[in-house]
Amino acid sequence: MLNYSFALGVAVSSLLICVVNLIYTFIQRRTDKLQNRLFIAILCILAVNAACGIVSAVFGGNPDLQAGRSIALNLSRYAYFLTHTALCPLFFYYASNVSFVSTRLTNKNIFLLSLPFFITELMAITNPFTNWVWWLDENLEFHRAWGEILIYLAALLYFVLAFIVVLRTWSFISSKRRTSLIFLFIMVAAGVLVQLLNKDLKVEVLAEAIGFTGVMMSVENEDDRIDMGMGFYNRTALSLDIGGCLTNGRKLKLLMIRIHNSDLVNRLVGNGETNTIADILSDYLKSVVPRYYIYAAEKDTFVITLYSKSFADAEAIADRISTRFDNPWDYGEYSIQLNATVVLADIPTQIKSTAELAYMIDSPTPDSEGRRVLKGDDLQFIMRRHAVEDAISRGFAENSYEVYYQPTFHIDGKLHGAEALIRMHDKELGNLYPDEFIPIAEQSGLIDDIDEYVLEEVCRFLKSGIPEKYGIDNINVNLSVLQCMRPGFVETITRIVESYGVNKHLINFEITESIGASDYGTLSRVIQRLRQQSFLFSMDDYGTGYSNVSNIFSLNFDVIKIDKSLLWGAEKSDMGMVILENTIRMIQQMKKKILVEGVETAEQIKLLERLKVDYLQGFYFSKPIPKDAFIEYISK
Ligand code: C2E
Ligand code: CA
Ligand code: CA
């Protein structure tokens, strides 16, 4: 009777494993998603199977237990087959769910997919009358019948389907999960095989229970997908999940909520540790959709996935969320106004790849003219951005870049210098302007090449001696602040300029004021080192940022370029005039030279003469023009 005590031990172990798994699943409260519920159902089936195994072993191994022996053995076998037949289909459903396989199958396909299950389940149900699957002889010994082969074949089919589903989504499963899924497949296959070869070695349920323990530890445990502080899924999880949906043809709508004033809010009420915005929004978002549909993609950007919702439903939700932002949010003792844009996108018609999803999250949301829900054609910006980035990267190979020059003048009208401004002529997109492609180049890391290209072009031009001949004091070259902070920046600049043998005081670097919360220490050292070599520096776009004035002036610029918006504002209102006058007076007291940009009319020149600025730049004199045209312009 060794085989009965063996079977009993195995069945008891299996039951214990299932029960422990169930207990942990409940302790961790992983019970709210469909995926979790399927997992629990699988564990319950395995627990019932293990219990049946215990009953079979106890009664099968004890012929003395006459009372109820036949009933117990018959019932336990019956219960086993009724439930076990559902295991593989359920596992297939689970794997599909984890992999985001489309749930929108045609009725015919659903029918075909479920057919093997229905047939085998029906055979198990009717077995007491047919004995097609199994039967017990007069000694109550268990015998397999041909129907059991069918049940195994159906199980094999679902098993293979589950395997295919997992394989298709391979690249969107973390390696930890992959390993545990492979382990599960191997365990199940081995268990079934052993039991098929020798029906006394009843290890199938045990193997499955152990396999699913692995699944619980990796697939069901989502610690690596969840941002613990916020309780939302993280960006990696978002990209994996949407990747899974895209490969498996799962359709969904996506809501992206972008908070525009998060920096300000963090500065006002943040404690530097938790994500304040997530804290503020957490309860509200969870009241709109269950938590497992919410992702925190960035500290100011949240994404909600909406499965099986029509576009109209999704629109209604987007509008509701957007309207909520009309009212302030309570946070501790504060009442906070958040500015938000909601983007509604359809997957896969509008977002076709995880790269496009990343674009949408990383690119600034376009100006929506007061509307705060962007949808449909508003989303063209994603495609455009994609196209522009491609154009930037092929730009050097295809000679699409060109440097234009815009002259600058002394206040008395004498020629002073020029600003070098990049242009791009792409064969597909036509002429592109830096306002569009420079921010994209900055984000994709291509800005270094562009700025070096401009510097080399300017050096080449200066080397020709033409600018000096016509009285150009220096040429201004724009620098991206990000680039200035990079290690080795000073050396790179020096190497380029020295390789052309150009006088360094002929080059004036412009750095924009909207440096934001940059590291002034590093920037100040970079500027100091380059100024020591006699390069000049201008502060660009003064008056557009909100920088700390004393920080700005600690950077020691030669020229402050006042942004065109200040000049134009002075013409529009008395208030604007006060701002311009006082800004100029302050800079003059700091003993810095002033250049005003955006000069378009003779009246503006009169105003600026009165305010005694030093230099002028603007369309009144000339737009930025190609080098040859510029040479012609200054030669006159
Ligand atoms: P910016 O440095 O403030 O350049 C001045 C911009 O104002 C130029 O636009 C110029 O064409 C425009 N502008 C000049 N005078 C007038 C005027 O009287 N009226 C009007 N309406 N506009 C005027 P552009 O060339 O499109 O450049 C836009 C921005 O792109 C630049 O602003 C600069 O921040 C960036 N940029 C341009 N070239 C480069 C470059 O080589 N490297 C880097 N890093 N950034 C660049
Ligand atoms: Ca500039
Ligand atoms: Ca400027």
Side-chain angles (χ1 to χ4, degrees), residues 550-602:
S550 60
N551 273 348
I552 287 292
F553 285 92
S554 74
L555 290 177
N556 206 1
F557 287 96
D558 302 281
V559 179
I560 308 294
K561 295 185 76 170
I562 294 185
D563 191 69
K564 38 188 174 283
S565 59
L566 260 69
L567 173 64
W568 299 347
E571 292 183 307
K572 277 193 214 130
S573 71
D574 293 345
M575 169 91 101
M577 184 62 83
V578 172
I579 294 176
L580 180 68
E581 284 178 357
N582 284 288
T583 306
I584 289 177
R585 193 169 314 139
M586 184 190 74
I587 302 172
Q588 283 166 341
Q589 283 169 357
M590 302 265 197
K591 307 255 180 303
K592 303 277 179 198
K593 298 269 188 219
I594 299 175
L595 183 150
V596 179
E597 298 182 306
V599 178
E600 294 185 345
T601 64

Side-chain angles (χ1 to χ4, degrees), residues 419 478 510 540-542 561-564 597 617:
E419 177 173 6
N478 290 283
E510 296 191 4
D540 202 356
D541 305 332
Y542 186 83
K561 295 185 76 170
I562 294 185
D563 191 69
K564 38 188 174 283
E597 298 182 306
Q617 174 181 357

Side-chain angles (χ1 to χ4, degrees), residues 456-519:
E456 295 208 18
E457 279 297 306
V458 168
C459 286
R460 212 168 289 148
F461 187 28
L462 286 170
K463 177 127 205 250
S464 72
I466 299 172
E468 269 182 296
K469 185 174 140 199
Y470 293 112
I472 296 272
D473 299 338
N474 47 58
I475 296 186
N476 289 22
V477 174
N478 290 283
L479 288 179
S480 144
V481 184
L482 288 174
Q483 200 199 2
C484 301
M485 314 281 257
R486 216 152 288 167
F489 172 74
V490 174
E491 289 75 13
T492 312
I493 296 286
T494 312
R495 180 179 48 75
I496 293 175
V497 177
E498 285 178 355
S499 75
Y500 284 89
V502 167
N503 259 332
K504 292 173 182 165
H505 68 261
L506 294 176
I507 296 176
N508 186 323
F509 290 115
E510 296 191 4
I511 295 176
T512 173
E513 192 229 302
S514 43
I515 320 172
S518 288
D519 170 2

